Amino acid sequence: MPEDNSKKPIRYLSGVQPSGRLHLGNYFGAIRNHIRLQDQGECFYFIANYHSLTTVQDAEQLKKFTFMAAADYLALGLDPAKALLFRQSDVPEVAELAWLLSTVTGMGLMERAHSYKDKVARGIAPSLGLFFYPALMAADILIYRSDKVPVGQDQIQHIEMCRDMAGYFNHAFQKEVFKLPEGVLSEAPKVMGLTGGKMSKSDEASVIPIFGEPAEIKKKVMGIVTDSKGVAEPKDPDQNIIYLLYRLVAAPGEAAGMEKGFRQGGMGYGDAKKMLLSKLEEVFGGERREKRKKMDEKPDLVEDVLVAGAQRARRTAARTMEQVYEATGLPSSKIKKAVWTAGT
Ligand code: ADP
Ligand code: TRP
């Protein structure tokens, strides 16, 4: 009998790299959506530590950033009873699947990746891993049979590449092993950074960290470079980072007030910065900051969540890999287990 998919919950999957502190771009571009979606389907979220090795090559840093990313998610409202949170590398089969996908993927597809070209242009070493990155991301998505992938704009091309790779694989092995996922954008898919381009962990000066110390955030906000227009002069809010960030944290009416003040004149940059600061404190300070501090005091709680999440994620991955082994002619996990335990 054909499988009845009509009652199956939608599976959402996404990852975030532990390559620095999570910032407002990550939150409004992706994480806020991830947390909302935990009430709407099955959610698999992971800390992409394999991916981060393309830029972070310091064991202590990688562990620290991985913990921080997980603790941030929990403080921001991720509920482990509703959504899985885990470390990418705790399901190492994704690296195996990435290799298998690479065998059916043409160089042309990989060479078109914008993110690789952008990263190299920004001075990141063009390693084979960085080039291979979209294949690993495709494996992340496909191994958990994800339906939807909520991400920021910069990741959409990678999801298109994932769909292509899934199609190549199904075609090469003449079996519908993988279903094609879809990207989902948030309302703020491209948050501008303090230095003009996209806010990104790879440019520390561009970010406002979600849980930075209040003094640091104050310094960053008050230090935003503006032109020298006086308070009374009209200003264009559309390219104004203070307004663009304020619009993300303030209520629509409040944001409209600032916009009007800029357009008509009367709103000075100094006052706008203070308004932004106080909203940031309202949204991320207080209860959330307290919760985040508790995670630092009890790191074992975070570790327990990650391990429990990985155990469940791995069961799903194992089922997919069984089909992959069958389709490709690689030995099944049963045979592998016999090999691993022989002679022990
Ligand atoms: P970064 O680029 O800072 O290293 P990641 O690559 O780990 O961040 O991205 C994690 C998630 O956050 C992805 O879904 C990505 O699309 C999203 N994201 C990152 N930066 C931004 C931004 N400036 N605006 C919107 N979304 C973003
Ligand atoms: N490449 C993503 C980023 O830099 C992180 C990531 C890795 C991811 N694997 C994924 C996102 C799978 C969505 C799905 O933001």
Side-chain angles (χ1 to χ4, degrees), residues 15-18 45-53 62-63 66-67 85-96 136 140 143-144 303 306-307 309-311 313-314 317:
V16 55
Q17 291 194 68
Y45 301 132
F46 62 92
I47 318 296
N49 53 356
Y50 279 150
H51 275 107
S52 277
L53 281 169
L62 187 71
K63 285 186 225 168
T66 302
F67 169 83
L85 183 67
F86 58 102
R87 270 179 298 246
Q88 182 183 31
S89 64
D90 286 341
V91 187
E93 289 87 343
V94 284
E96 182 183 7
L136 180 57
D140 289 325
I143 205 167
Y144 301 112
E303 182 61 21
L306 293 175
V307 169
Q311 282 172 340
R314 200 164 185 197

Side-chain angles (χ1 to χ4, degrees), residues 144-162:
Y144 301 112
R145 313 197 155 285
S146 319
D147 298 300
K148 305 220 176 218
V149 187
V151 285
Q153 180 65 46
D154 59 332
Q155 298 301 318
I156 291 293
Q157 190 196 24
H158 289 156
I159 298 169
E160 292 302 320
M161 292 171 80
C162 169

Side-chain angles (χ1 to χ4, degrees), residues 100-172:
L100 300 177
L101 293 173
S102 81
T103 64
V104 294
T105 301
M107 284 295 285
L109 181 79
M110 300 299 285
E111 280 164 356
R112 284 195 288 280
H114 305 306
S115 154
Y116 173 74
K117 288 185 248 179
D118 292 350
K119 284 181 179 168
V120 174
R122 277 188 279 127
I124 299 177
S127 64
L128 184 54
L130 198 64
F131 186 70
F132 188 75
Y133 186 113
L136 180 57
M137 179 159 163
D140 289 325
I141 298 171
L142 299 175
I143 205 167
Y144 301 112
R145 313 197 155 285
S146 319
D147 298 300
K148 305 220 176 218
V149 187
V151 285
Q153 180 65 46
D154 59 332
Q155 298 301 318
I156 291 293
Q157 190 196 24
H158 289 156
I159 298 169
E160 292 302 320
M161 292 171 80
C162 169
R163 291 168 62 92
D164 289 340
M165 290 183 215
Y168 300 151
F169 188 97
N170 290 347
H171 184 255

Side-chain angles (χ1 to χ4, degrees), residues 2-303:
E3 212 182 339
D4 176 11
N5 284 325
S6 58
K7 290 185 205 74
K8 272 202 172 165
I10 293 180
R11 180 164 300 155
Y12 295 96
L13 168 127
S14 201
V16 55
Q17 291 194 68
S19 53
R21 292 178 294 174
L22 299 189
H23 53 73
L24 297 185
N26 296 137
Y27 183 69
F28 291 105
I31 298 172
R32 181 171 63 172
N33 234 5
H34 298 167
I35 291 166
R36 284 179 182 161
L37 290 167
Q38 68 189 358
D39 293 311
Q40 291 176 38
E42 273 181 353
C43 295
F44 283 52
Y45 301 132
F46 62 92
I47 318 296
N49 53 356
Y50 279 150
H51 275 107
S52 277
L53 281 169
T54 56
T55 51
V56 180
Q57 282 144 4
D58 174 323
E60 288 315 310
Q61 284 275 63
L62 187 71
K63 285 186 225 168
K64 190 176 100 190
F65 288 145
T66 302
F67 169 83
M68 285 166 68
D72 284 5
Y73 260 93
L74 294 170
L76 290 166
L78 182 120
D79 179 351
K82 295 180 179 169
L84 304 191
L85 183 67
F86 58 102
R87 270 179 298 246
Q88 182 183 31
S89 64
D90 286 341
V91 187
E93 289 87 343
V94 284
E96 182 183 7
L97 180 58
W99 168 256
L100 300 177
L101 293 173
S102 81
T103 64
V104 294
T105 301
M107 284 295 285
L109 181 79
M110 300 299 285
E111 280 164 356
R112 284 195 288 280
H114 305 306
S115 154
Y116 173 74
K117 288 185 248 179
D118 292 350
K119 284 181 179 168
V120 174
R122 277 188 279 127
I124 299 177
S127 64
L128 184 54
L130 198 64
F131 186 70
F132 188 75
Y133 186 113
L136 180 57
M137 179 159 163
D140 289 325
I141 298 171
L142 299 175
I143 205 167
Y144 301 112
R145 313 197 155 285
S146 319
D147 298 300
K148 305 220 176 218
V149 187
V151 285
Q153 180 65 46
D154 59 332
Q155 298 301 318
I156 291 293
Q157 190 196 24
H158 289 156
I159 298 169
E160 292 302 320
M161 292 171 80
C162 169
R163 291 168 62 92
D164 289 340
M165 290 183 215
Y168 300 151
F169 188 97
N170 290 347
H171 184 255
F173 296 103
Q174 291 296 302
K175 249 191 180 146
E176 289 299 303
V177 176
F178 297 123
K179 58 176 163 187
L180 309 194
E182 276 168 32
V184 181
L185 286 178
S186 70
E187 303 106 75
K190 193 171 177 198
V191 177
M192 201 205 256
L194 303 184
T195 45
K198 173 186 112 92
M199 189 177 289
S200 172
K201 290 186 218 100
S202 59
D203 174 12
E204 169 60 30
S206 77
V207 308
I208 296 189
I210 302 172
F211 289 116
E213 285 300 323
E216 184 199 3
I217 296 189
K218 183 170 180 192
K219 200 167 158 210
K220 285 204 169 231
V221 170
M222 298 316 283
I224 292 173
V225 179
T226 59
D227 57 33
S228 54
K229 287 201 173 110
V231 174
E233 283 180 79
K235 307 169 190 69
D236 177 12
D238 297 329
Q239 294 303 317
N240 176 337
I241 180 70
I242 308 167
Y243 167 69
L244 294 177
L245 292 177
Y246 186 72
R247 201 171 62 174
L248 296 173
V249 277
E254 294 167 323
M258 182 183 282
E259 183 186 5
K260 194 167 158 212
F262 273 135
R263 280 196 206 285
Q264 295 182 347
M267 173 63 68
Y269 292 124
D271 283 341
K273 286 178 182 177
K274 284 187 198 136
M275 288 163 75
L276 171 59
L277 250 186
S278 96
K279 273 288 158 197
L280 285 172
E281 180 57 28
E282 204 179 302
V283 176
F284 299 107
E287 212 178 292
R288 282 175 155 175
R289 183 176 295 128
E290 280 312 304
K291 212 169 156 192
R292 178 63 185 80
K293 281 202 179 122
K294 290 219 173 79
M295 310 278 165
D296 281 335
E297 288 155 21
K298 298 205 164 141
D300 288 356
L301 292 182
V302 177
E303 182 61 21

